[in-house]
Amino acid sequence: MNRKAAIIGGGVIGGGWAARFLLNGWDVGVFDPDPEAERKIAAVMENARAALPALSDVPMPAEGKLTFHGTIGEAVEGADYVQESVSERIELKHKVYAQLQQSNPGVLIGSSTSGFKASDLQKSAVAPENIIVAHPFNPVYLLPLSEISGSPANPPEVVEKTVQIMKDVGMFPLVIRHEIDAFIGNRFLEAVWREALWMLKDGIATTEEIDEAIRMGFGLRWGQMGLFETYRIAGGEAGMRHFMAQFGPALKWPWTKLMDVPEFNDELVDLVASQSDAQSGMYGIRELERIRDRNLVGFLRALKERNWGAGKVLREHDERRAAAFYAEMAKGLDTGAKAAPLVMWQGQVLPGWIDYNGHMTESRYYFCNSETVDNFLRLIGAGMDYVAAGHSYYSAETHIRHLGEAKLGDQLRGELQIISADEKRFRSFVRILKGEDCVATVEQLCLHVDMKAGKTVPAAPEVWANLKAVADAHAGLPMPEGVGRAVGQKKE
Amino acid sequence: MNRKAAIIGGGVIGGGWAARFLLNGWDVGVFDPDPEAERKIAAVMENARAALPALSDVPMPAEGKLTFHGTIGEAVEGADYVQESVSERIELKHKVYAQLQQSNPGVLIGSSTSGFKASDLQKSAVAPENIIVAHPFNPVYLLPLSEISGSPANPPEVVEKTVQIMKDVGMFPLVIRHEIDAFIGNRFLEAVWREALWMLKDGIATTEEIDEAIRMGFGLRWGQMGLFETYRIAGGEAGMRHFMAQFGPALKWPWTKLMDVPEFNDELVDLVASQSDAQSGMYGIRELERIRDRNLVGFLRALKERNWGAGKVLREHDERRAAAFYAEMAKGLDTGAKAAPLVMWQGQVLPGWIDYNGHMTESRYYFCNSETVDNFLRLIGAGMDYVAAGHSYYSAETHIRHLGEAKLGDQLRGELQIISADEKRFRSFVRILKGEDCVATVEQLCLHVDMKAGKTVPAAPEVWANLKAVADAHAGLPMPEGVGRAVGQKKE
């Protein structure tokens, strides 16, 4: 049975949490008195479905069940976890916690608060020990950070349980050592926000110019190394001490107006809002969200390729779910022994895969085949470890037929049939399927090589035994239509 | 003849400038009294060569000539532009400018200063009007931002000339309206730096935790939208005014310690340096630089795919150089008419193209073919505009032979031969070459389709005429070895 999260408050943040839980296979019960909540969450879900699965190389679990409730008590019924994302009013939060703890005593409550400390949130609660800060960043369904901040009232097991739930939905829980206002991220955001408002007010730069100054420069650095690792590099061969010696004195220079805050009045709001309209008003909010999401998917995918930072979090999340996936694949292998093609891969068409026709670009069909064959190799015992030990299957020759079109967000799967095999090679035939439609077929000859010697050699006995079992089972299957074709050959 | 830049000061920043100018085809003369300067710049160049060309879809110009000089006077001889990146000591900078202006009167001098205003730099200069701030961000060869900040002494044409030079080397020049200390980017960095040092000092978080708080959250957002566009989205459907109303009051809350600065002493330096060692000490600086560069190439490539932010700058830089590239391709077409295969694509193997064997992943050979064929289509008049008008060539069937290996950073090119063609289709044979080695061949059948009707139709007369001219010329070429093969077919 699915675990259940109660989402109290379904705005931008609450909706993002709902999406993250649902797409990770949790059921979600929402309470939000806004009559528009259901429509708003549906819009967030649409964005999230197009983005989050695009980060996974393991099939996502079936989406959880989403329900809306008229009372907090109903929403929290049977919940294993509550994420509270109501407005930043402490009395309101206290009222919500009282209702939650009355309806579901003992439930763990994480708050999305941007600034209240856990000890503020816990005041006057029946069970203060079960209330903790779990502060995310928008878009919640893509950015991994969740700042976990407890008070001395929270026992270690509550912190640990929160950490585990965050990991379960693919987040990076950062436990903060001491209670401080605004945790870590928002302190920096606040610092930059103050400075930015001064620049606008003084006419130094517009909202657009400030955004360019960030995203064309240090913003790119910070997405992958943060502040200190970046500065460590800036110190060059002489390192961090050199950097400190060089830039430390700047602390005393009049480089910021941080000592003071600009007056927050209508004039300032007008200035910011009108400049922002000039800069971004040509896009609707949903459109901007989609642009942002695709950019973030691109960044996160790049980091995942390099197993770095947030990309490492994604890989670890895949690994946690991989056991179930490989068990499913192994079932496929049994099926293979029963003479049916093996479904060896599932995935989603990503933004970077689209060509100028709006279709999946042709080389990505080959990529889908590679993923399918790689999973098959892992299954027969010729995965990463086998490669690391010096042997591998290399592709020698491939024939691809393009039979249909795949578009952004389409769910594809790769179904593999072994046409022939011996100790040194195999011929595979992969159908790339979209639902029941076959959008491409890929026939391929792979040779088993000793990588160091650079020549074809027999596979290890256990690998060959596994391969042979599948090949023998598949020998009974009809030869697929299109096998053995040359390019442009007439149909027979 | 190449233009020439004089680089005064060859540290991390000066070296990065040298690399950017050289790789964009400028000659570079360096002055740096450090006896290690030549070795250090060679190290920067090695990193830059692996990274900057990976962002270009137009072949890079031939690398400029790099020379080292014993005096400022020699370095600046014949220079069209000077980039000064010496230490942040105003007397030193004044001395350097005096020597530069004596040896090459009238030369434009951009300073990499992190904080001095142009009017400070210009004091006591013979020609203050030719001294301006052009402030980059590390790594200079990858990050596009250059903050251009002049004083009232700089005439508009000096600002404009600086802007044009920055664009010529692929940067994003951001002209700052009013002189302020530290420009825009460093003001934000300084604000965050202060807050971060407080957190370390107070034991709230370590350098590593602070970096995680940035790169797992808002750092990813800032690399593509900056501050205001991100907040516009956070306002949700209600927009920027709603966001301001929600977060404006936070300006008055005690969320930062910005009002004060921590004392800069040995204890603080030790704390930062030792935490940084614990966090990143397992990597050497050069290794960290390479990791950073590959991450940045991944981010920038993702943005380029989406034509957004810094990716838009890359596309525009390509476009500026594309005229020369297409002229070169058109020469290829003439050659084609003279019956030789056409070199239609050149490119570099990118970090994201590598598989777990350390080789270019198989689907990328198909990608190289796609790029080659796309350029050929553009050449015969079936490019983007033609597609936009409703017709396109679709790939029907492809046969790939893997004959060799390509590795990270290898330069590849695609050479195309037309095997046969009629009004409705053509068969191409592309060799993917690394130097003189053929690493793969790709044979392909493309059909000319009416995209709306979804059926094969004859090409427009002018497209067919261009295609036929090449096909007729290529009819005289010998049939390439390997044409017409099916997978696993015995050699004849």
Side-chain angles (χ1 to χ4, degrees), chain A residues 161-227:
Chain A
K161 190 175 168 193
T162 314
V163 162
Q164 288 310 323
I165 288 172
M166 292 298 123
K167 286 191 178 173
D168 194 62
V169 294
M171 296 197 95
F172 180 83
L174 182 65
V175 178
I176 298 176
R177 292 156 190 267
H178 296 286
E179 280 203 272
I180 52 168
D181 290 303
F183 328 117
I184 300 178
N186 277 351
R187 290 200 150 218
F188 296 137
L189 291 173
E190 181 65 18
V192 169
W193 178 238
R194 286 177 190 215
E195 193 65 23
L197 290 181
W198 270 123
M199 280 192 218
L200 290 187
K201 196 179 157 72
D202 293 350
I204 305 296
T206 63
T207 58
E208 182 167 359
E209 288 162 354
I210 288 171
D211 280 357
E212 298 292 18
I214 294 173
R215 70 179 181 166
M216 296 290 173
F218 67 87
L220 289 164
R221 298 196 302 221
W222 282 6
Q224 40 95 43
M225 283 190 174
L227 183 72

Side-chain angles (χ1 to χ4, degrees), chain B residues 234-292:
Chain B
E237 293 173 13
M240 198 72 201
R241 272 170 208 281
H242 173 68
F243 176 82
M244 294 287 286
Q246 202 177 351
F247 288 93
L251 282 172
K252 298 270 181 240
W253 299 350
W255 273 8
T256 64
K257 292 188 75 167
L258 300 170
M259 316 307 169
D260 199 2
V261 294
E263 196 192 339
F264 187 74
N265 54 24
D266 287 352
E267 209 180 323
L268 186 61
V269 172
D270 282 346
L271 186 69
V272 174
S274 65
Q275 289 192 358
S276 172
D277 286 350
Q279 176 188 356
S280 316
M282 64 294 265
Y283 305 106
I285 289 295
R286 295 290 163 210
E287 197 179 355
L288 271 180
E289 283 177 346
R290 280 190 293 272
I291 292 169
R292 174 200 64 194

